[in-house]
Amino acid sequence: MQHNILTSIRSTKITDGCKATQVYALNSSAGADSPINAGGGESIGDKFFHHLLDRSKQSGRIKPCLVFKGFPDTKLFRRSLRLARQHAVDVHSKIVLASWLRYERREDEFVGSSAMDCCGRNLECPKASLVTGYDPESGFDNCWCFRKDNIIVDNDGGEIECSTSYGDEDDGSGSGDGGCHDMSFCIGDSDIRCNRYSIASLSKPFMAMLYGGFVESRREKVNFSLNGVSVDVMMAVEVFSRTKRLSLFANNVVVEMLSFANRFCCEEMKSACDAHLASLVFDMDDALLLIEYGLEENAYLLVAACLQVFLRELPSSMHSLSVSKLFCSVEGRDRLALVGHVSFSLYCFLSQVAMEEDMKSNTTVMLLERLGECAASGWQKQLAYHQLGVVMLERKEYKDAQQWFEAAVKEGHIYSSVGVARAKYKRGHTYSAYKMINSLISDHKPVGWMYQERALYCIGKEKTMDLVSATELDPTLSFPYKHRAVFLVEESKIEAAISEINKIIGFKISTDCLELRAWFLIAMKDYEGALRDVRAILTLDPNYKMFYGKMQGDRLVELLRPVAQQWNQADCWIQLYDNWSSVDDIGSLAVVHQMLENNPGTSILRFRQSLLLLRLNCQKVAMRSLRLARNHSSSAHERLIYEGWILYDTGHREEAIAKADESISIQRSFEAFFLKAYALADSCLDSESSKNVIDLLEEALRCPSDGLRKGQALNNLGSIYVDCEKLDLAADCYKHALNIKHTRAHQGLARVYHLQNQPKAAYDEMTKLIEKAKNNASAYEKRSEYCDRDMAKGDLSLATQLDPLRTYPYRYRAAGLHLSGSRCLVRPAHSFASGQSGSNTHLLLVLMDDHKEADAIAELSRAINFKPELQLLHLRAAFYDSMGDFVSTVRDCEAALCLDPSHAEMLELCNKAREQVTDGKLTFEEAKRWVRKIILIETEGEVEE
């Protein structure tokens, strides 16, 4: 049976699956392959990227968040969200941004935590979000919920008595206090005794009635029976008029008091009732009960509190019909708008959640329609219309998709022209789609995804050439590799196909590429290799379906297991050691997956899995494994360790150290000491701190553990010794680590030899690492530091081929180009390329040869086009500064500062360049002409002034 199914799989038409991947690359989940970023890109090439970030200051802080949403590094998006929340002023913005932050880290929460639980910081605290006002300095402080000095004082306590301090009865002018009970309101048979002045002080209407020219001002009894006010509410109003307190009243009475306050314009009482009712909202039941009252009575805080629950409970809260109707319908949006709770950021958040939940649902469409209605500025309309186009394309409503993409293009969203082309292609207008992309390439500086997109609309040699160009311009695009691999398979060159797909898997792991390689391996009857890849896929996505979504991945594991080598748990440990020492992270993932299949409750294996996933830059999946490790912990001290790692990985370093200390107080263990040492080392270490880290790592090594973890501890200890200039001790650590097969220690030992002025020994040590490691791009990069320039260039060229995402080689080559064209050099190019420069690094470049300078900028731009990294932007800004192109310098600096707002050197360089632009050396009009010239050069070649 298994043989028949595997034979059928081997005969599958692989090209069909490869084509499907390209068609659906418009989906926002397609990552770097997507030519249309549903997160809100609005530009072509890196120059427009900078323009977008620069303009973001004028458009509110939500715009950078949406820009970074399209970046593979989720930390940038989360940091921009935190910054936006930190600077939020009004309650509405605070609840939206705090809820969005909570949604982004919802999977990081411990089991048993509720959506309304406070994480301890003002930024996300649900109570702090309901406090209006602007205090950015307190954003990252501990909130009142977690402060040890938080003493709650009951200001409403005590028995309420009739005050006798009002003095004589007022003379009617409104200036006196009056007696305690000098009038009454009659409701039915009841008289509610009141203080005239206290009631009059509630609002202007009461003041006019009781002290103005109305008959009530001369009466001790006022008939209130026909106003629909109950006795209980009037009694409560009387008490509030004197005490300004609400704590003694039942909640239903406060609700009626809110209505009373609205009817009679009692603003102070309305605010008090609003705040009191808002404080009662803790969960979905409360919010569903009180939201209608809030909307009907225009209670801003109460509606905010209810909305906060709905937003923090996403996506499950949208399953409630009333919540869905409130957010999705035009009527619901209008009701929210009347209370001041509609914004573009609200519907951005809602539509993002809906798209992640179900891209094709009617809910998603309606939320995006509301987003479009909230859009005011051009970029907001671009985003809304573009996303509607993406969703309609997914729903196969191609005519509507084309219309929405065209609307986005009309608003200036150039990327959406690709959506227009894709929709036309799906409607059968292939040539028209081809012409559109061809025009895009002609009119703008080409980037990789343009050629990839055009390849979809042509065949044969032209298609092949476009995909080659796509890879040259952006080697991180996976589709060209997949297409070439499939083409080789069709020519029966399966080994060459595997070699081609290995190129992308070597630096960018993804389920679709692993699945394609699994197909090839099955075709070669390499079932063990195929099983390895399927297990790696299921580690990344446990619910992954193979072969166009027709077969569950675990079903394929069942089919492959009998025809692959069988390992028991001891064999698995041996395999794990071998893979770990050969730096085969995918192989290690597969082994751990099998070990967990045999023993799913082992938390230490989940932890190892998370470490491997972090190495492969799969942060979200790594966090999931870490949470599972925590949830499967068999003891309190072990659970505290994994909670500490979760806190550390989410930016809470001090809390992580506290968890480690708590774990150590229960039981001394390797992992607890290692966690504390790792967290302490993540800062600028002085001699005392370094000694503490060394002591902690030595304590860890005295505790029981396996060789894999002890190798890492020894490697880390060696690094600390190097920093402390204790090179002999460092060498001993690295050699000890190598004895237990921790292969990465070769790199540390090479560093020691280099510092001991033994370059050949350092080079040889890195050569050993290259020979042992399967993933050795970093080893080639590091070895380049220990050889002459020509050999270094060869190693860095290999490093770029193996992993184009490593940016050091581009920086080195750019600095090398500068060196060859320079007549005066302040510092060695190599140290500058390493990013190890001190302050004022932009002064490095002087008296340049213009041609070489342009080549250096081109080398940096090559990488920036697909990876706008801070160091790349910093170096290019320095080149521009040396050329006197201060407008471009400012552009690159501001883009870099969006990635790291506190970068001191970048701030200094940016401020200097701005002074050059604004102090009369370059007028605003000259700057505009210079920018136009740069764009023309990049798109058409050199032009004369």
Side-chain angles (χ1 to χ4, degrees):
M1 176 67 178
Q2 285 90 349
H3 180 268
N4 291 338
I5 294 176
L6 292 172
T7 302
S8 175
I9 289 172
R10 287 200 303 271
S11 65
T12 301
K13 185 72 171 175
I14 296 175
T15 49
D16 294 338
C18 195
K19 287 177 182 176
T21 303
Q22 170 67 352
V23 169
Y24 292 104
L26 278 174
N27 189 325
S28 62
S29 64
D33 272 23
S34 176
I36 299 181
N37 184 335
E42 72 171 58
S43 58
I44 296 290
D46 86 281
K47 60 178 178 287
F48 290 96
F49 162 73
H50 303 308
H51 178 54
L52 174 119
L53 291 173
D54 181 37
R55 288 174 55 199
S56 67
K57 301 173 190 174
Q58 306 166 17
S59 308
R61 294 188 178 271
I62 191 64
K63 187 174 182 181
C65 300
L66 300 174
V67 173
F68 287 127
K69 184 61 181 172
F71 276 52
D73 186 354
T74 58
K75 291 180 181 178
L76 291 172
F77 173 61
R78 292 189 184 189
R79 188 183 66 198
S80 62
L81 265 184
R82 286 195 295 269
L83 190 64
R85 167 62 185 89
Q86 183 184 357
H87 291 275
V89 178
D90 59 286
V91 167
H92 173 78
S93 297
K94 289 179 180 180
I95 63 166
V96 170
L97 294 167
S99 300
W100 203 337
L101 277 168
R102 189 261 160 193
Y103 177 80
E104 288 297 321
R105 65 157 193 82
R106 66 197 183 283
E107 295 180 344
D108 304 340
E109 293 178 340
F110 302 140
V111 171
S113 62
S114 135
M116 292 299 290
D117 286 347
C118 178
C119 70
R121 296 275 194 258
N122 277 334
L123 280 181
E124 286 186 55
C125 176
K127 293 179 182 177
S129 297
L130 293 173
V131 178
T132 191
Y134 180 64
D135 186 11
E137 300 304 319
S138 68
F140 295 96
D141 291 349
N142 289 332
C143 65
W144 285 105
C145 307
F146 277 67
R147 291 184 186 175
K148 294 179 180 179
D149 59 347
N150 184 14
I151 301 174
I152 301 174
V153 179
D154 183 6
N155 292 322
D156 292 348
E159 183 180 353
I160 299 175
E161 298 180 353
C162 178
S163 172
T164 58
S165 62
Y166 290 95
D168 297 330
E169 185 172 322
D170 188 63
D171 59 6
S173 65
S175 60
D177 288 336
C180 181
H181 289 151
D182 54 3
M183 65 162 293
S184 60
F185 285 95
C186 302
I187 300 176
D189 296 331
S190 301
D191 286 354
I192 297 93
R193 297 287 295 163
C194 303
N195 176 268
R196 180 181 296 270
Y197 183 75
S198 297
I199 296 294
S201 299
L202 290 175
S203 70
K204 289 182 179 179
F206 275 122
M207 181 64 75
M209 180 178 73
L210 298 177
Y211 283 105
F214 296 96
V215 294
E216 287 85 356
S217 65
R218 298 185 294 274
R219 292 179 178 174
E220 290 189 6
K221 292 189 176 184
V222 176
N223 188 355
F224 230 55
S225 299
L226 301 180
N227 287 298
V229 178
S230 70
V231 173
D232 288 343
V233 169
M234 197 64 227
M235 291 176 66
V237 169
E238 187 278 324
V239 172
F240 179 84
S241 72
R242 293 182 290 104
T243 66
K244 311 303 181 187
R245 296 176 181 174
L246 296 170
S247 59
L248 293 184
F249 311 132
N251 295 336
N252 64 310
V253 172
V254 178
V255 170
E256 292 188 58
M257 289 175 71
L258 175 62
S259 179
F260 180 98
N262 263 331
R263 289 178 61 192
F264 298 101
C265 305
C266 305
E267 294 302 325
E268 183 183 15
M269 187 164 72
K270 178 182 177 179
S271 297
C273 292
D274 190 9
H276 180 83
L277 292 171
S279 70
L280 302 177
V281 181
F282 295 108
D283 53 32
M284 279 291 292
D285 291 337
D286 298 332
L288 289 170
L289 176 65
L290 291 171
I291 185 67
E292 280 301 316
Y293 293 113
L295 291 169
E296 288 174 10
E297 301 300 339
N298 195 28
Y300 180 77
L301 279 180
L302 176 55
V303 172
C306 296
L307 282 185
Q308 180 166 239
V309 173
F310 299 153
L311 295 177
R312 292 175 74 96
E313 291 283 359
L314 287 171
S316 61
S317 60
M318 287 297 287
H319 300 159
S320 164
L321 185 61
S322 58
V323 174
S324 178
K325 183 178 178 182
L326 179 65
F327 287 136
C328 294
S329 68
V330 175
E331 178 193 7
R333 184 212 60 197
D334 290 345
R335 294 185 74 194
L336 288 171
L338 288 173
V339 195
H341 281 293
V342 163
S343 65
F344 185 77
S345 58
L346 169 66
Y347 279 97
C348 271
F349 178 28
L350 291 169
S351 58
Q352 178 208 317
V353 174
M355 291 175 78
E356 291 179 4
E357 186 80 354
D358 183 358
M359 177 77 79
K360 302 176 185 179
S361 71
N362 291 334
T363 296
T364 301
V365 173
M366 288 188 287
L367 288 171
L368 286 172
E369 288 173 344
R370 304 293 82 77
L371 179 68
E373 292 160 2
C374 293
S377 61
W379 72 266
Q380 292 175 345
K381 293 176 183 177
Q382 292 170 22
L383 175 65
Y385 299 161
H386 173 80
Q387 289 190 330
L388 274 164
V390 171
V391 169
M392 292 303 175
L393 200 68
E394 286 289 307
R395 288 162 63 101
K396 300 184 179 179
E397 298 175 22
Y398 302 124
K399 186 175 180 180
D400 288 342
Q402 183 177 332
Q403 290 175 347
W404 283 116
F405 283 130
E406 286 172 343
V409 172
K410 188 176 179 180
E411 292 293 334
H413 195 276
I414 304 173
Y415 278 139
S416 292
S417 58
V418 185
V420 177
R422 190 71 69 91
K424 286 184 174 182
Y425 170 71
K426 298 302 292 184
R427 297 177 67 194
H429 308 307
T430 303
Y431 183 63
S432 179
Y434 177 86
K435 283 173 59 180
M436 282 202 70
I437 303 303
N438 201 49
S439 175
L440 198 65
I441 292 173
S442 301
D443 295 343
H444 301 279
K445 180 182 176 182
V447 288
W449 61 259
M450 295 183 190
Y451 287 99
Q452 174 181 273
E453 186 68 18
R454 191 172 70 176
L456 183 64
Y457 312 130
C458 54
I459 58 174
K461 190 173 182 180
E462 189 177 357
K463 187 186 195 80
T464 300
M465 290 175 63
D466 271 354
L467 292 176
V468 169
S469 297
T471 299
E472 287 175 351
L473 290 168
D474 186 350
T476 67
L477 297 171
S478 60
F479 175 73
Y481 298 94
K482 292 186 283 185
H483 183 274
R484 288 189 290 267
V486 169
F487 183 78
L488 289 166
V489 167
E490 290 180 338
E491 292 187 338
S492 300
K493 299 176 181 177
I494 301 180
E495 290 185 1
I498 292 173
S499 178
E500 181 66 25
I501 203 67
N502 281 344
K503 292 177 183 177
I504 184 85
I505 292 176
F507 66 89
K508 182 183 174 184
I509 186 172
S510 64
T511 52
D512 56 339
C513 290
L514 286 170
E515 181 184 4
L516 193 58
R517 188 169 72 175
W519 287 356
F520 300 157
L521 292 169
I522 289 172
M524 291 182 65
K525 300 185 180 180
D526 181 358
Y527 300 125
E528 287 187 23
L531 182 57
R532 173 203 62 207
D533 283 352
V534 176
R535 288 190 181 280
I537 289 169
L538 291 174
T539 302
L540 297 173
D541 182 358
N543 300 315
Y544 191 83
K545 291 186 177 181
M546 309 285 289
F547 309 113
Y548 328 125
K550 296 177 181 177
M551 179 188 289
Q552 288 287 350
D554 51 8
R555 172 60 178 152
L556 186 55
V557 170
E558 292 176 13
L559 295 172
L560 289 168
R561 193 187 293 119
V563 293
Q565 185 175 351
Q566 302 295 306
W567 295 336
N568 58 32
Q569 203 76 343
D571 295 330
C572 286
W573 274 108
I574 294 172
Q575 288 294 323
L576 183 58
Y577 267 84
D578 290 343
N579 287 332
W580 194 281
S581 63
S582 63
V583 198
D584 180 4
D585 294 329
I586 294 176
S588 297
L589 271 186
V591 174
V592 172
H593 183 272
Q594 181 174 348
M595 296 170 80
L596 285 168
E597 193 177 69
N598 299 335
N599 192 357
T602 308
S603 58
I604 188 65
L605 290 175
R606 294 285 183 187
F607 180 56
R608 292 289 157 72
Q609 190 179 66
S610 73
L611 298 175
L612 287 165
L613 289 163
L614 284 175
R615 282 187 183 178
L616 293 166
N617 201 30
C618 301
Q619 296 174 356
K620 189 173 182 179
V621 190
M623 188 59 70
R624 184 186 67 202
S625 295
L626 194 49
R627 285 194 310 276
L628 288 170
R630 185 265 182 192
N631 295 342
H632 286 99
S633 299
S634 58
S635 62
H637 83 273
E638 188 180 27
R639 184 176 67 254
L640 288 165
I641 291 165
Y642 301 136
E643 288 179 359
W645 279 114
I646 291 171
L647 288 165
Y648 174 80
D649 288 339
T650 52
H652 300 93
R653 177 174 163 270
E654 296 300 326
E655 291 88 338
I657 293 172
K659 290 284 184 182
D661 284 333
E662 190 177 351
S663 179
I664 291 168
S665 69
I666 298 172
Q667 180 174 321
R668 298 165 64 85
S669 68
F670 174 92
E671 292 297 349
F673 284 115
F674 189 93
L675 167 61
K676 186 174 181 181
Y678 198 93
L680 279 176
D682 185 22
S683 61
C684 296
L685 292 177
D686 53 25
S687 57
E688 184 63 29
S689 300
S690 296
K691 184 180 183 304
N692 290 338
V693 173
I694 289 170
D695 290 343
L696 287 166
L697 287 172
E698 288 177 343
E699 285 292 340
L701 289 165
R702 293 188 189 101
C703 298
S705 185
D706 58 76
L708 298 178
R709 291 298 279 159
K710 291 211 169 185
Q712 288 179 290
L714 286 163
N715 198 59
N716 291 1
L717 183 57
S719 297
I720 301 297
Y721 278 135
V722 169
D723 292 340
C724 296
E725 299 182 354
K726 298 178 180 180
L727 300 183
D728 291 337
L729 290 173
D732 289 342
C733 287
Y734 291 130
K735 289 174 183 177
H736 191 179
L738 289 170
N739 288 336
I740 53 177
K741 291 189 173 183
H742 190 76
T743 308
R744 284 182 169 85
H746 282 297
Q747 183 168 317
L749 190 55
R751 184 184 174 200
V752 170
Y753 289 144
H754 172 70
L755 293 172
Q756 291 175 335
N757 200 25
Q758 300 180 57
K760 186 178 185 306
Y763 182 90
D764 292 343
E765 203 64 37
M766 290 308 302
T767 302
K768 294 176 185 177
L769 178 57
I770 290 170
E771 291 169 350
K772 292 180 182 179
K774 286 194 175 182
N775 184 5
N776 49 25
S778 63
Y780 278 112
E781 180 183 293
K782 196 65 180 176
R783 191 176 70 171
S784 71
E785 298 187 17
Y786 308 133
C787 54
D788 61 40
R789 184 175 175 184
D790 289 337
M791 294 176 69
K793 288 170 66 177
D795 275 355
L796 291 175
S797 178
L798 280 170
T800 297
Q801 289 178 31
L802 293 169
D803 185 354
L805 290 172
R806 304 190 73 85
T807 58
Y808 169 79
Y810 300 96
R811 289 183 277 129
Y812 178 88
R813 286 189 289 267
L817 285 164
H818 151 67
L819 181 62
S820 65
S822 175
R823 292 184 293 277
C824 177
L825 186 65
V826 177
R827 301 191 52 223
H830 184 75
S831 64
F832 187 50
S834 302
Q836 298 170 349
S837 55
S839 60
N840 301 315
T841 54
H842 54 281
L843 296 177
L844 169 69
L845 312 170
V846 292
L847 300 175
M848 293 278 208
D849 177 89
D850 289 341
H851 177 69
K852 292 297 182 181
E853 192 76 357
D855 288 346
I857 288 173
E859 179 67 30
L860 294 170
S861 300
R862 177 186 166 201
I864 288 171
N865 280 337
F866 60 84
K867 189 177 183 182
E869 185 195 69
L870 180 130
Q871 287 181 314
L872 292 171
L873 289 164
H874 188 189
L875 184 53
R876 193 171 72 172
F879 279 117
Y880 279 130
D881 181 66
S882 70
M883 294 171 65
D885 181 357
F886 302 115
V887 172
S888 297
T889 303
V890 171
R891 179 198 66 179
D892 277 6
C893 286
E894 290 186 341
L897 289 170
C898 286
L899 302 175
D900 184 0
S902 61
H903 195 283
E905 290 183 35
M906 194 62 74
L907 283 166
E908 182 184 355
L909 177 56
C910 190
N911 290 333
K912 275 195 63 179
R914 280 177 180 152
E915 290 174 6
Q916 295 293 328
V917 173
T918 59
D919 67 358
K921 295 182 181 179
L922 189 66
T923 67
F924 181 68
E925 289 302 319
E926 289 172 334
K928 288 200 294 186
R929 287 199 299 274
W930 184 256
V931 170
R932 284 198 296 270
K933 179 180 178 182
I934 292 168
I935 294 172
L936 285 170
I937 291 171
E938 291 180 338
T939 57
E940 298 178 8
E942 186 62 59
V943 296
E944 293 182 359
E945 188 66 23

